[in-house]
Amino acid sequence: MEIKRNASAHWEGSGKEGKGTITTASTVLKETQYSFNTRFADGVGTNPEELVAAAHAGCFSMKLAFNIQEAGFTATSIDTKAVVALDTNSGSISSSKLTVTASVPDLTKEKFDELVADAEKNCPISKLFNTAISVEATLA
């Protein structure tokens, strides 16, 4: 089975002075503004790297939850922050750093670390990246 999701972007003008909008099929984002300033400075709106970071954090958290469930445990909470770095010299994503804190009753640190490593490697967004991915994990 294949699940397809979609989003669209509209851009007007040059790279630096132009502006655009992003819309997702779910309409969670609907004509959400992005521009040079939101990507390379601190303008109001979103940017591709922020959206990729959100996707990576969400994907990793869900994969970790499935791993924990398959190991016979249930997470009380999983909080993940992703920091995606854009190398402006090469124009490529140079890294995605995940920081996760999870509360899982009765799960050992050793088993937790094993499940985190699997989630880091096997969440679909991690598989999409062609960059270094690192995780800092805390079992609360």
Side-chain angles (χ1 to χ4, degrees):
M1 183 170 96
E2 184 176 73
I3 298 170
K4 295 183 178 182
R5 302 289 186 231
N6 68 81
S8 60
H10 175 78
W11 188 265
E12 296 177 0
S14 68
K16 192 166 186 177
E17 287 80 27
K19 62 182 178 178
T21 58
I22 297 172
T23 300
T24 58
S26 67
T27 68
V28 168
L29 298 178
K30 184 172 175 62
E31 297 181 4
T32 302
Q33 189 272 338
Y34 77 111
S35 66
F36 178 88
N37 284 338
T38 64
R39 192 169 194 187
F40 301 106
D42 290 323
V44 175
T46 192
N47 60 72
E49 291 73 29
E50 177 180 70
L51 298 172
V52 169
H56 201 195
C59 182
F60 174 86
S61 293
M62 186 176 279
K63 177 62 176 162
L64 181 56
F66 276 115
N67 288 355
I68 291 167
Q69 177 183 347
E70 288 171 10
F73 301 91
T74 301
T76 304
S77 64
I78 299 171
D79 294 295
T80 305
K81 178 181 180 181
V83 177
V84 169
L86 173 64
D87 182 332
T88 57
N89 293 324
S90 67
S92 65
I93 301 291
S94 58
S95 67
S96 179
K97 180 180 180 185
L98 299 167
T99 303
V100 60
T101 300
S103 177
V104 186
D106 302 320
L107 183 65
T108 67
K109 176 70 167 130
E110 294 74 25
K111 186 64 175 177
F112 175 69
D113 289 343
E114 174 188 319
L115 300 174
V116 165
D118 180 80
E120 173 189 353
K121 186 170 120 182
N122 291 307
C123 95
I125 300 298
S126 288
K127 289 181 175 184
L128 178 68
F129 283 133
N130 183 23
T131 192
I133 300 169
S134 65
V135 179
E136 182 180 313
T138 303
L139 180 60

